[in-house]
Amino acid sequence: LGMVMQENGIKPEIEIFDAGMVYNALYYLKKGVLKAPLHFQFVLGAAGGMDATVENLVFLKSLIPAGSTWGALGIGKGHLPIMYAALALGGHVRVGMEDNILYAKGVLAKSNLEFIERTKRIVRELNKEIATPDEARQILRIKC
């Protein structure tokens, strides 16, 4: 599948739930099935995966090859700490109801828009900018 994606100009998002998954990606990079630079998405707090802690995020980030792009998300109560840490460490973030249905403790989200608007406020407060679609393509080094 990796070779088919390369032939069709598709860049995979490599979702990482634990450290072993990073090592799998590195193995496939070495074998040529994946092509650098890679893009990793750290998913922390999922059942069976690593806890959503800043320490785990820093550890996972330390395993990826230089030049890789990465993002992170925390499921449940780890959502905001992981978002803040990812932004502070130079990563990207993913938000939405796919990963969290609670906007706050005991408060069901009404829509993805709530998560997006909060993320925009946080990014602005950290003196960062939201990438435009064209900027995101440049960051990820994809063509379409």
Side-chain angles (χ1 to χ4, degrees):
L1 184 58
M3 302 308 285
V4 171
M5 290 192 308
Q6 286 184 46
E7 291 166 10
N8 289 286
I10 297 168
K11 182 169 188 155
E13 173 193 61
I14 303 167
E15 286 202 347
I16 302 296
F17 292 80
D18 64 50
M21 297 176 87
V22 174
Y23 293 114
N24 286 340
L26 297 176
Y27 170 81
Y28 287 115
L29 177 63
K30 182 178 175 182
K31 292 293 185 185
V33 175
L34 294 173
K35 183 179 172 188
L38 302 176
H39 178 71
F40 293 89
Q41 180 66 39
F42 301 123
V43 181
L44 298 170
M50 294 177 80
D51 286 340
T53 66
V54 173
E55 293 83 4
N56 283 340
L57 176 59
V58 171
F59 171 65
L60 290 171
K61 180 184 175 300
S62 76
L63 301 177
I64 64 175
S68 298
T69 54
W70 64 277
L73 67 100
I75 295 175
K77 67 182 182 179
H79 172 69
L80 287 175
I82 295 300
M83 177 190 294
Y84 288 126
L87 291 168
L89 293 167
H92 305 279
V93 296
R94 179 175 104 184
V95 299
M97 295 178 75
E98 174 185 358
D99 304 313
N100 290 290
I101 59 168
L102 295 178
Y103 182 77
K105 186 175 182 177
V107 180
L108 281 173
K110 295 177 187 126
S111 71
N112 282 324
L113 184 59
E114 288 178 293
F115 291 110
I116 293 166
E117 292 299 327
R118 176 170 60 192
T119 302
K120 286 169 47 179
R121 288 191 305 272
I122 291 168
V123 167
R124 276 192 229 109
E125 288 293 325
L126 293 172
N127 294 316
K128 296 183 179 278
E129 294 181 24
I130 303 288
T132 66
D134 285 339
E135 290 168 337
R137 287 183 196 94
Q138 287 180 316
I139 292 166
L140 295 172
R141 297 180 188 113
I142 56 178
K143 295 179 181 168
C144 55

